[in-house]
Structure formats: C-alpha cells, structure tokens
Amino acid sequence: MKQHIERLLVLIRRRLPILLLAIIPVLIMEILSRGNYLDPLTWSYKHVLELLFNEWIVVSLLLFFIAIIGRTRIAYWVISAFLIILALISGVKLKILGVPLTPWDLVVAGEASDMVKYVTNILTFNVLSVIILFLAGSYLLLYRTTMFIKKVNLKERGILAGIAIVMFLAVYTDLPLPVQKWFGIEAAVWNQAQNTNTNGYALATVLNTRAMFSDKRDGYDDKAVEAIVNSSPKPPVKAGDTTPIKPNVIVILSEAFWDPTVIPGAKFSKDPIPFFHQLQKSGTSGTMLSPQYGGGTANVEFEVLTGNSMRFLPQGSVAYNQYISNEVDSLASIYARQGYTSTAISPFYNWYFNSNKIYQDFGFSKYIPIEYFKPNYSGPYIADSEVAANIIRTTEQSPGSDFVFANTMENHFHYYPGKFPKNTFDVTGDFSPSSVGMLETLAQGINGSDRMLQELVEYYQKKGEPTIIAFWGDHLPALGDDYATYIDTKYISGKDDPDFLKKMYSVPLVVWNNFDTTHKDNLNISPSFLGPYLIELSKQQGNYYTNFLSALAKKYPIIPPKDHFQEMNIKEEDLKDYETLQYDILFGDRHAYKNYLTPIIDPKYRLGYGPITLDSVKSDSQDISGRTSLTLTVHGTNLPPLGYVTLNGKAVPTTWIDDHTATALVEGNLLKTGLWDIQFTVKDSKETILGKSNSVSIDIGGR
C-alpha cells in the first residue's frame, strides 16, 4: 500500500508543471473574453479564489486530454485552441450584444449564423498580439524546457483520466467540500457579463452549465399553485360585457424598431417614423423594458405571447429552444377559445428558433413562414410591406375575428451603409462617419416599418371592422461594437451610464384601435404584461395567468433584472408567486391546465394558408417529337410562391404566377414519353418538405 502511495505521489510531482502550463490559456481566455489586457490583471488579484478555480478547471481538462491522446504537447494545443476559440467568440458576442457566450448558445447555433457573416475585424491587432503572446509562451515552456513529459504510458493515462474526472466533478458539484458555497461563488445567471467578469470565463461556463440542468424548485406542488390561482383577482364584468364586440387583435413585433430621433445631437433630414409619432400623440403609447439588446427576438416574443418572464430564466438563454417542450396557453389559444382564428406570420424560415413547433404548442391554428411569402425583399430581408400584405390576406380569408401575431425582418442587423439599394435619409451631428452611416441605414429601415404600420392602420380604419393593432420594437439595434454609436453620439456616457438600463433596453410601443377612440393610456410595462392589457382592451376572457398578471402589473408594471430591484423599489418576495406559476408552466406539471375543457393545441394546425391542391395541368404540347423543351401550366389553390413543380418526383424549374397558377419548364432527360405524375411541393432551406399537393397525371407521347 505504501509503495502504491509513493508511486502516486511521484506521478503527481511529475505532473505539477502542468499547473504552470495551464495558467497560459486561462489568462489568454480572460484577455479575449474581456477584450483588453488590464481587466484580467485586476481580476487576478481581486478574485484569487476564482482564478484558482479557473486554473483547476483547465488543468482537469488538460489532464483528461493527455489521458485520451497520450501526448502532452498535442493535448495542450488541442484543449488550448478549443478554449481560446470559445473565449474569442465570447468576446465578440459581448461586444455586439452585451452578453458573453453561454452554454445554451450551442442550442441556437443555427439561429446565430445570419449574424456571423456581418462580424468583421475579429483578428484585430489586439487579438493577434494576444495569440502571438500565447504561442510564444507556450512554445518556450513546451519546447525549451524539460519540465514536461512528452509521452504518457497507458497505465498512467488511466490514472490521469481518473484524477481529471474527480477534479472536474469537484468543481461542478462543489463536493466534497462546498468551497463555492462557503465563499459565495455562484452564477449570476441574470447578468452574464457580470457573471463572467467576476468568476472568469471557464468557471462561469461551468456554473452556467450546472444552472442549465437544474430546474428543481422547493415548495412547489398542486396546492401551492392552486392557492395562487384562487387568490388572483378576477376582472370585473361590466354592464354590456356579456355580448362584447370581438375585435381583430393584431400584434406586430417590429425587428429592432427604435426611435433614433431621441438622440439629442442627431439631426435627421426628415422624420423617419412620422406616422408612429402621430399615433404616439393621438392614442395609447409608451415603452416596454425589453429583456434583450441587439438580438434575441424570440425571448421578447415569448414574453408577449405567454406572459412568462425572462427575468426568471438565465440571461442569454432562449426559451423557445430550451424550455418549451409541451403545450403552453398563450394569447393564440386564449383568443382561439373565444372563436378567433389565431395566425402566426414570420418572414423567416419555419425552423428559426424552433418556431414551427412552438407556434403549434402555443395554440395557433396556422403559421405563415417565409416559405409561403412572395419574395419581395428590401435589402437582405423580406420587406415589411410584404408582412403587411400577409396580415391583410389572413384577416380577409377568415370568416370571423382574428388574432394575428407577426414579426418583421427588414430592419434586422446589420446597419452598415449599403444595406438598402437606396437611402433617402441624411443624418448630421458631432460624431464619426461610422455613426452617421449606421444611423442613416437605421432610419431607412425603420421608415419601412413606419410605412407598414400606416398601411395597416389605414386599411382597417377604412374597412371599419373593429381592430386593435399593437406595434413595438423588440430591442434596440446593435449599432457597432461595445455600443459604439450610442456612446459616440452621447446618447449614453458609457457602459456605466446611470440610466443605462432605461436607455438601452426601453423600446417604443403604440396600441391603436378603431372602436374605442377615447381610450388613451400611457404604457410603461414589461413585455409579459402586454397580453393581459390587450385582453382587457378587446373585452375578451383571459385565463388564470392573465388575471394574475393584470393584478401584478398594477403594482409592478416593469420587472427589471434582479440587480435593479432595490433601486426600482421591487421586493423579490412579491414576485415569488409569479415565478411559481411560470415554473409550473415550463418545468412543472401544469397543474392549472388540468381543468381546461378545450385542448390548447389546435389539432388542425398547419403551415400556409391552406392545403396545396392541384386542379389541372396543361402542357403546351402533348407530343414531344422534335422538341427540346416543354412548358407545363398548373392550376390549383394555395400554391406557395417559393414552391416548385415535380415531375415523377423530380423538381423542374418553376415560375410562380399567383396563388392559383404556376408554370414549369421540362427539358433534358426528363423530356420522355409516358405518364407524367405532377405535384406541387414546398421545401425549406434545410430541404425539409413542408407541403405537397395531390398528384395530377398527364400522358405525353411522341418520338
């Protein structure tokens, strides 16, 4: 026994230099994730224990990779490259969105891809100098000293693997000695920038991962939920409410819509959003405190549609991809129970943020994604005017009242000059040409949003059908790295601006209706409280949750991040019931749904405006003798603009004419005699078939 212990101690002593080697990637990670050299140095002596934990994590990973590969140098380069790439990405994300890279970003990698192509200047002088420093330091230790054993035998590799696993689990579980608990080390999941700055990138990532897989809540059961539901005040029934009107309720999330005219030193050649400003003066308007900056649209959508709050979920997480796995009562299902047709409209791919499944779980009856849009673009994205056209078409086709939720894309990131074919706005002010260019591009984008809003209001005003339109921006636009344009124009003094939260997270909101023109409210709310407000305005029946939220909003209309509770006079215990009800919906047994008589999910849920059907197929010739091509004309119903004709299962070039007609060109080796089986199909960008028509056969002869 003594001999084995001595051999183990010798083994450990031989591997002690790895502690020195591991400090290099730790410090490089901190420099890259923070974006400068000085912060890591300050952090190192102010947070010594956190530094040691980061070192411990990297050492455990390094030992594990040495055990797998068997070669110290290769293992070091592999694990260091992996960690440094993560830190670099985290630093870039922090600059653009104000939130570092988190473990849950891995579940939305596809959603982030459209932003990656606009990320420029990653390999700056600072980054390159850091990489050179890393390579030089690593080379000197690995190749110019004799401290490190190059190869590891198989028996030792097994021991190293065991040590590595035990070391990592000790950090992950905080066992057997709860050092993290003793010293108050925890993940600040509500403020990921603070989390990374305090704990360091490696430790913050481990703590975030632990938080991501922990959704247990003490004191949660049927009785706890039932008590909250029963204590929630019920909305009073006013005289005449027994036969209320059923207005259309149209909710529009306008991508990155914000009012840049509030920048004191910026002068615009003309008002980019004149109609929005007109509605602000004449009707209900205000602001919403968004949980997002620069991106994360789905989280704002999640709050508005469900009434749930991102304040009870980790910052940087995406509820749609991580937490929605069952039906969730939403505005769509609430209105559907009262005879409404609930439709979701989005000018982007059906798979984006898992939207196809989410909208079904929320109780929508149909979803119109980009695959069913006309390809009417403004810049790189579908024009807002095309979203308006789909909203109008949706309500025209419906025999009764409609609930429509739509989001837009025309004003989506980026904001560099040249985004739009033509820019009609000039901006002047005492700031850099870069800021001028971004503000001019933003003005052009939000002007399209303003014209869309005007088109919808004028259409429903003229039509006379009772209608509510709620229109707001989901988050402020990301105008340069590290809030560059906002600081350059002196809209904020910097990241430490005393009004940073209000200025950088408040988005403008208007609510218009054509049946209660005397109604004018000043709304300054969180997105999760908009739904209950619209239910009351439309005089429809909500559910237990909207009743609860209506009452809570009277006391706390705005719910900020936890670190702002004290300054906004919010008592955390007053929000515990809200958090419990949300927990029940997302992670619990959905106790309050047990008495529902109508299913939340619509069994007839579908993509598009209706089944794709073919009525007839005509050919410009029934005989291919002497021909090199042949044109088919198909007639049917609900033919998607981005769909295509298939001949015996093979796609052929298709020209869409309208919802009822398309033509297809048949040539090459498909030009054969026999029975042609014709269908109309629509796919998404991932080659998934979303819809397919019935088959129509024609007989082609000749040759």
Side-chain angles (χ1 to χ4, degrees), residues 265-287:
K267 295 181 180 179
F268 292 79
S269 56
K270 55 185 175 180
D271 188 349
I273 49 173
F275 191 74
F276 184 87
H277 285 149
Q278 177 184 324
L279 290 185
Q280 279 183 315
K281 295 176 182 177
S282 62
T284 293
S285 65
T287 61

Side-chain angles (χ1 to χ4, degrees), residues 162-173:
I163 293 173
I165 292 171
V166 170
M167 287 179 64
F168 187 83
L169 288 178
V171 178
Y172 187 83
T173 62

Side-chain angles (χ1 to χ4, degrees), residues 366 368 372 393 397 604-615 636-640 659-660 680 682 690-694:
K366 57 183 175 180
I368 315 297
Y372 294 84
R393 179 182 176 186
Q397 288 188 353
K604 296 181 180 179
Y605 171 81
R606 65 171 184 266
L607 292 178
Y609 287 99
I612 304 171
T613 59
L614 285 187
D615 299 325
T637 306
N638 297 318
L639 304 183
D659 296 334
H660 301 284
F680 201 88
V682 60
L690 304 181
K692 185 180 290 188
S693 73
N694 56 300

Side-chain angles (χ1 to χ4, degrees), residues 170-329:
V171 178
Y172 187 83
T173 62
D174 200 24
L175 295 172
L177 296 176
V179 178
Q180 296 167 33
K181 185 177 180 180
W182 290 344
F183 288 91
I185 296 175
E186 60 181 358
V189 293
W190 62 89
N191 188 332
Q192 289 296 341
Q194 175 187 323
N195 188 24
T196 303
N197 284 337
T198 301
N199 293 316
Y201 185 70
L203 178 58
T205 300
V206 171
L207 295 177
N208 278 331
T209 304
R210 188 167 70 194
M212 183 170 66
F213 293 107
S214 176
D215 57 9
K216 300 298 181 184
R217 181 178 173 86
D218 296 331
Y220 161 79
D221 54 27
D222 282 292
K223 291 183 179 179
V225 175
E226 185 179 359
I228 300 170
V229 172
N230 291 337
S231 64
S232 301
K234 306 299 184 290
V237 179
K238 300 178 182 178
D241 279 1
T242 52
T243 57
I245 60 172
K246 289 186 179 293
N248 296 321
V249 179
I250 300 172
V251 181
I252 302 167
L253 182 157
S254 182
E255 173 63 37
F257 183 85
W258 180 65
D259 185 358
T261 65
V262 300
I263 299 175
K267 295 181 180 179
F268 292 79
S269 56
K270 55 185 175 180
D271 188 349
I273 49 173
F275 191 74
F276 184 87
H277 285 149
Q278 177 184 324
L279 290 185
Q280 279 183 315
K281 295 176 182 177
S282 62
T284 293
S285 65
T287 61
M288 289 200 301
L289 189 69
S290 174
Q292 303 293 141
Y293 164 78
T297 297
N299 286 340
V300 186
E301 182 179 313
F302 163 75
E303 289 206 4
V304 170
L305 286 175
T306 68
N308 293 313
S309 176
M310 291 301 300
R311 303 304 184 197
F312 305 132
L313 299 172
Q315 186 190 33
S317 60
V318 179
Y320 279 7
N321 295 76
Q322 294 172 246
Y323 306 122
I324 307 296
S325 57
N326 293 286
E327 60 185 13
V328 175
D329 207 15

